[in-house]
Amino acid sequence: MGSEVIEPQSIRNVTVVGEPDETTRVVHRLLRNFSRTGTGISTTVRWTTDHSDHTIRIAELSSRLPIATLERSIRVADGVIAVMNAAAPRAPRLETLLRVADDHQVARLCLVTRLDHPAADFDRCLRTIAGTHGAVPLALQVPHGLGAEFEGARDLIPMWACEPMVADFHGSHRTVAEEWYGDLLATVSEHNALAPDEVPGFRKIGADRLYDRVRHLTHLGDIAPVLCDTTPSGHIAPLLDAIVRYLPSPLHVCQPEHALDY
């Protein structure tokens, strides 16, 4: 029986960091909902995004481990997913991990959880990311309401793909969604990812082009894309899509000058 050949560019090696309860909950949801194989703390998920098959290898890393261990694990990671509790007023250890990822230029995504908690504060999570010098937080999803009024999250980038349906889809939240989308484009534009003449007609910018620009800036470490988790029973597929679209494959991180890190 022959071995399966996996193209390197289709692989995503990601390390999930954060408080153990939060990271375990996210990883368990992946296990519950998608085909996978697991050995020890490593989990492999097969996932198709944009009509291409990918292999996502996920390792879980508790923020309670010794700082030296955390730094070493993050330094050699291809990409990091930082799980942030929206109801926690402070997360000093997670902030330290974000700084480590920034210092070693490790691409990262941030997943905000517990948005249905009474003390949830999405903006505070964005400020926390912004405060860890380096990457600018870029909200790719925004919550509709918080706490008891939380109604789920909306993806900003594809929101204009079917513009005639935007009003029906977003309802009373349309104005807020447009403001967040404008902020997204302004951030991307400030980092020279879009030509200035493209920004005013933002509805004409295709989703694929924005995915490409966000991926480029994420690889550089200029931005940290931010996604919203929903309730524990919610769909986690957008996280897998984001891993594939924005985090690097081993081909993008195994450069000769970093050979000793692996």
Side-chain angles (χ1 to χ4, degrees), residues 144 151 154 159 165-178:
H144 279 183
E151 300 175 3
R154 292 290 183 264
M159 68 179 289
M165 300 172 61
V166 168
D168 293 336
F169 186 68
H170 291 278
S172 61
H173 299 284
R174 175 178 180 173
T175 300
V176 174
E178 285 185 337

Side-chain angles (χ1 to χ4, degrees), residues 97-133:
L97 300 185
L98 288 171
R99 290 190 180 95
V100 170
D102 181 67
D103 290 342
H104 295 288
Q105 296 182 311
V106 178
R108 52 221 178 268
L109 298 174
C110 296
L111 179 68
V112 180
T113 66
R114 306 299 183 107
L115 289 163
D116 56 347
H117 191 280
D121 188 337
F122 182 68
D123 290 338
R124 181 176 59 220
C125 293
L126 298 183
R127 291 194 299 271
T128 296
I129 300 168
T132 58
H133 66 89

Side-chain angles (χ1 to χ4, degrees), residues 181 184-199 202 205-206 209-210 213-214 217:
Y181 187 75
L184 184 157
L185 290 179
T187 299
V188 173
S189 176
E190 287 172 5
H191 287 82
N192 299 317
L194 291 174
D197 59 351
E198 290 181 286
V199 177
F202 60 85
I205 301 174
R209 174 155 174 73
L210 281 177
R213 295 296 84 197
V214 173
L217 292 174

